[in-house]
Amino acid sequence: SASVALPMRFAGSNGRTRAKGRRPVPNYLYPSFLLARDSGLIDLAHDRFYIMLVTDQYAPDAIHEKRDDLYGEVEGPGYEPGGREIPKTGVSITADGASRMVAGDVLWPMASITARGGVVYQWQWGRLVCYMDFGQDQTSVNGPFLVKLSAVPLLETEMAA
């Protein structure tokens, strides 16, 4: 079985990240996300968000804006193309534009897959939010594959300095 727990904290839209209480982790906030959020194309409170698992063949890029721009999606028994919905447990957006989304865990209960990372995207229009690098390939063989998102906020953005 595989279990991945990732603290996520994004600063601005330049892809720099900080992890709360731990060393920095390599994660990426798609530049198009903040623009889409600020223009109302993404509504953190009301839209549905999914996480799609990807292999080590995928590399995030600033030109990637929608799910159709992605490649290297995981394939295998127990994994459905497009990934799984992320259960949201709380969302807040401050007057200065900072965002915070708290989410529940995402589980593939019986899967035989290997994933290097996950891409969070808006389900309705496929707009990309962020990429999470698991640090190394994570594999499950006829067992659960869990992405633990409940330990810390899934997404925290700050206004760029």
Side-chain angles (χ1 to χ4, degrees):
S1 74
S3 179
V4 181
L6 295 169
M8 304 288 292
R9 185 170 176 83
F10 297 97
S13 61
N14 60 7
R16 291 178 296 138
T17 65
R18 294 191 308 273
K20 287 185 162 183
R22 294 178 55 187
R23 65 178 177 72
V25 291
N27 290 296
Y28 185 78
L29 181 67
Y30 293 97
S32 60
F33 161 70
L34 290 176
L35 179 63
R37 184 205 61 193
D38 293 345
S39 63
L41 298 174
I42 288 182
D43 181 343
L44 291 177
H46 298 101
D47 290 347
R48 294 167 56 198
F49 294 89
Y50 274 58
I51 183 168
M52 182 176 97
L53 300 179
V54 292
T55 67
D56 64 355
Q57 298 300 304
Y58 178 71
D61 192 302
I63 65 170
H64 297 166
E65 295 182 0
K66 293 197 172 185
R67 183 176 163 225
D68 292 345
D69 297 329
L70 303 178
Y71 55 89
E73 183 173 11
V74 163
E75 295 180 9
Y79 179 84
E80 307 83 21
R84 291 250 162 127
E85 186 167 6
I86 297 170
K88 289 185 290 188
T89 59
V91 173
S92 64
I93 301 173
T94 64
D96 66 358
S99 303
R100 184 172 197 250
M101 183 185 341
V102 180
D105 300 337
V106 179
L107 173 68
W108 286 264
M110 185 62 78
S112 293
I113 56 177
T114 297
R116 178 54 179 257
V119 176
V120 174
Y121 67 97
Q122 174 203 40
W123 176 252
Q124 294 86 334
W125 305 106
R127 291 185 177 86
L128 304 182
V129 176
C130 63
Y131 167 76
M132 298 181 283
D133 187 329
F134 298 162
Q136 63 186 20
D137 284 349
Q138 300 293 322
T139 300
S140 68
V141 179
N142 294 322
F145 192 101
L146 175 68
V147 180
K148 190 162 182 57
L149 301 173
S150 61
V152 296
L154 167 65
L155 177 66
E156 283 189 296
T157 63
E158 298 171 348
M159 292 302 293

